[in-house]
Amino acid sequence: MDVGVEDAGGGEGVVEGGVEESTETNAPKPERPKFLNVNTEDVLDQPVGWQGWAKGIAFVVMWYGSILMGFFSLYCPALPLLFISRRIYRRTTEVVFTMWESYAVALMEVVYGVRFFVSGDVIRPQETSILLLNHRNRLDWNFFWGALAHGTSPPAHNCKIVLKSGIRKFPGLGWIMQMSCFLYIRRRWEDDQRLMNNVLDYFSDIDHTFQVLLFPEGTNLTPETQKKSEEFARKAGLPSLSNLLHPRTTGFTYLVNKLRNSEQLDAVYDVTVAYPKTLPLTEIDLLKGRMPEEVHFHIKRHHASSLPQTDEGLKAWLGDVWVEKDELLRTTLKQGHFPGCTAAAPHPPLNSSYLSFLFWTPLTIGMAYLLCTWWVVQLWCFAHTVFFTVVSFATDGLQHLEVWLHRREEARLRKPQ
């Protein structure tokens, strides 16, 4: 699914807190591809056979099954906390979501052999920050969990994605993201600003630390979107980009100003992703078993104090970052890896990935069995499906009910007795 934001549009940080390179002199150099680009037309034209379909369907069943069964078995029981203690509710939903992220990484690493290469700075989870990621395909957000797993120190985070509003209606996944307080937008700036203000003001009220993942390009890179981007660049007098789309700046400047004015913003992380071998472009490619053998990430941290103070300055800063990112990708195409990965092997699967696999797989199978055999569970799942379907279609999402309950309680506490 495309999670880009169409209208939501430098530090030197490879030393301090960077991902360390291997110092073992006797370790053999890992074999690396000669380029980080792929001829996607050739890949898409190749038949996958029944083995590819079987591999892809098995992944999607385990991935989406864990979402649905985890929603009914872990998220739904936490729903009453929304009305009892919103702090405990917020903490519970975010811990469960982080647990599930590790399962998504476990499926990719442990079961399907995807290897993650992460270089540059580490992401600091104790900071409230904005994460800027180029949008190579419609699945970047799912592979980004691997970057968070291997590139965050300490290994904990609270990442919110800026998403198209329609995704909130997607059974299971959209409902979980509502409960986790993700930022859904409609791509109408007046509405988007109101919706994001609502959630971000709430986070400020409760002194909540979080990270916001933003795709400034607004959509994933394809020949069609690149053509439109370059036409826009020519009219606007912007430099040509070979490996990226030109970023939209409205959402970025809004987020920086909003978080800076509430004294929350600590840093902005420029994250670059590249797929060296197989490049799945859409959900259908995953269904066909086209899983990337490797996913490369490079992270560069910019302290909030280094950002320009004006909107025009922020827009120019983002444009400069994207020019540097394009040059980074161009250089990477020649040397076959991002800086900092020359002698480093892929990050091995984390111990938490194995534990997550051992937790979520039996949970998914067990809950599915109960759903098929016990009328109590069937009624439980049906009732919550109806509730979340109504909430998703009739409102802007459960997260705004959470905000409304918080404000009502705050007003009641402020009211003189």
Side-chain angles (χ1 to χ4, degrees):
M1 66 188 64
D2 186 354
V3 298
V5 183
E6 188 165 314
D7 288 324
E12 298 291 335
V14 196
V15 181
E16 180 186 354
V19 178
E20 295 184 0
E21 296 184 13
S22 172
T23 57
E24 297 181 10
T25 56
N26 296 328
K29 268 193 175 183
E31 184 177 343
R32 295 185 178 279
K34 292 183 172 59
F35 55 87
L36 285 179
N37 200 2
V38 291
N39 187 329
T40 56
E41 292 183 0
D42 289 349
V43 172
L44 295 178
D45 287 341
Q46 294 174 2
V48 296
W50 69 266
Q51 298 96 333
W53 280 101
K55 173 184 175 182
I57 291 172
F59 174 81
V60 172
V61 167
M62 289 189 289
W63 182 85
Y64 188 57
S66 68
I67 292 173
L68 277 179
M69 297 304 105
F71 169 73
F72 289 127
S73 61
L74 297 177
Y75 271 90
C76 290
L79 193 57
L81 292 173
L82 176 61
F83 304 93
I84 300 171
S85 173
R86 273 166 295 286
R87 285 189 179 274
I88 298 177
Y89 168 80
R90 176 91 338 268
R91 180 61 177 165
T92 300
T93 56
E94 289 170 349
V95 167
V96 174
F97 192 87
T98 303
M99 289 168 56
W100 176 81
E101 287 175 23
S102 67
Y103 182 65
V105 176
L107 284 179
M108 290 184 279
E109 288 188 314
V110 178
V111 180
Y112 287 89
V114 178
R115 291 294 174 256
F116 290 96
F117 294 75
V118 183
S119 60
D121 294 325
V122 295
I123 297 172
R124 306 175 189 180
Q126 68 273 20
E127 295 181 331
T128 291
S129 58
I130 300 171
L131 311 175
L132 305 174
L133 183 64
N134 59 304
H135 211 347
R136 187 62 188 90
N137 60 41
R138 287 167 55 93
L139 305 161
D140 292 317
W141 62 276
N142 189 55
F143 295 114
F144 185 65
W145 305 137
L148 288 176
H150 293 290
T152 304
S153 180
H157 61 270
N158 185 13
C159 185
K160 315 293 183 187
I161 309 176
V162 181
L163 298 157
K164 293 178 182 176
S165 181
I167 296 174
R168 76 180 190 275
K169 304 172 184 177
F170 198 86
L173 182 63
W175 303 341
I176 285 173
M177 289 177 170
Q178 288 181 46
M179 294 183 71
S180 298
C181 238
F182 279 37
L183 298 171
Y184 286 108
I185 63 169
R186 299 175 178 172
R187 289 188 167 181
R188 293 193 298 270
W189 180 237
E190 294 77 12
D191 292 338
D192 295 344
Q193 192 171 11
R194 173 181 58 83
L195 293 172
M196 288 196 287
N197 271 337
N198 204 32
V199 175
L200 294 175
D201 286 343
Y202 170 55
F203 286 163
S204 178
D205 286 347
I206 63 176
D207 196 24
H208 198 51
T209 301
F210 60 98
Q211 298 80 44
V212 180
L213 175 60
L214 181 67
F215 293 90
E217 293 163 301
T219 188
N220 57 297
L221 179 65
T222 67
E224 292 77 17
T225 57
Q226 188 171 46
K227 181 179 179 181
K228 291 179 181 179
S229 178
E230 287 306 297
E231 288 175 355
F232 168 78
R234 282 195 296 271
K235 293 178 182 178
L238 298 174
S240 177
L241 301 178
S242 303
N243 306 286
L244 300 166
L245 304 178
H246 285 273
R248 316 294 177 103
T249 58
T250 304
F252 171 70
T253 56
Y254 161 79
L255 284 172
V256 170
N257 287 326
K258 182 69 178 178
L259 296 178
R260 191 157 52 185
N261 291 339
S262 60
E263 299 182 349
Q264 290 178 284
L265 185 64
D266 296 305
V268 172
Y269 290 87
D270 171 26
V271 186
T272 307
V273 61
Y275 301 83
K277 297 180 181 179
T278 300
L279 172 65
L281 294 176
T282 68
E283 297 82 356
I284 298 299
D285 289 324
L286 279 191
L287 200 60
K288 293 179 179 179
R290 291 192 175 111
M291 188 74 67
E293 296 85 356
E294 297 179 5
V295 186
H296 291 234
F297 290 95
H298 187 71
I299 303 168
K300 185 175 183 179
R301 180 181 181 273
H302 302 268
H303 193 274
S305 62
S306 70
L307 300 177
Q309 297 299 313
T310 65
D311 285 357
E312 291 304 314
L314 288 171
K315 293 176 182 178
W317 182 89
L318 182 62
D320 291 342
V321 165
W322 238 245
V323 171
E324 292 177 10
K325 186 191 290 281
D326 190 63
E327 184 60 34
L328 172 65
L329 284 168
R330 186 180 294 113
T331 302
T332 299
L333 301 183
K334 298 176 182 178
Q335 65 185 25
H337 51 80
F338 284 125
C341 279
T342 327
H347 289 280
L350 300 167
N351 290 336
S352 60
S353 293
Y354 294 99
L355 293 173
S356 182
F357 183 80
L358 293 175
F359 172 80
W360 282 95
T361 303
L363 175 75
T364 302
I365 296 172
M367 188 63 186
Y369 174 79
L370 292 176
L371 179 59
C372 294
T373 59
W374 193 14
W375 67 270
V376 173
V377 175
Q378 293 169 356
L379 183 61
W380 169 270
C381 296
F382 176 76
H384 285 91
T385 297
V386 171
F387 173 75
F388 273 92
T389 299
V390 171
V391 168
S392 299
F393 280 87
T395 74
D396 289 314
L398 192 70
Q399 68 275 27
H400 294 287
L401 173 61
E402 178 182 349
V403 175
W404 179 80
L405 290 171
H406 165 76
R407 289 178 178 167
R408 190 181 70 164
E409 182 180 8
E410 290 291 301
R412 180 180 62 82
L413 294 174
R414 287 194 301 266
K415 187 175 180 180
Q417 299 297 325

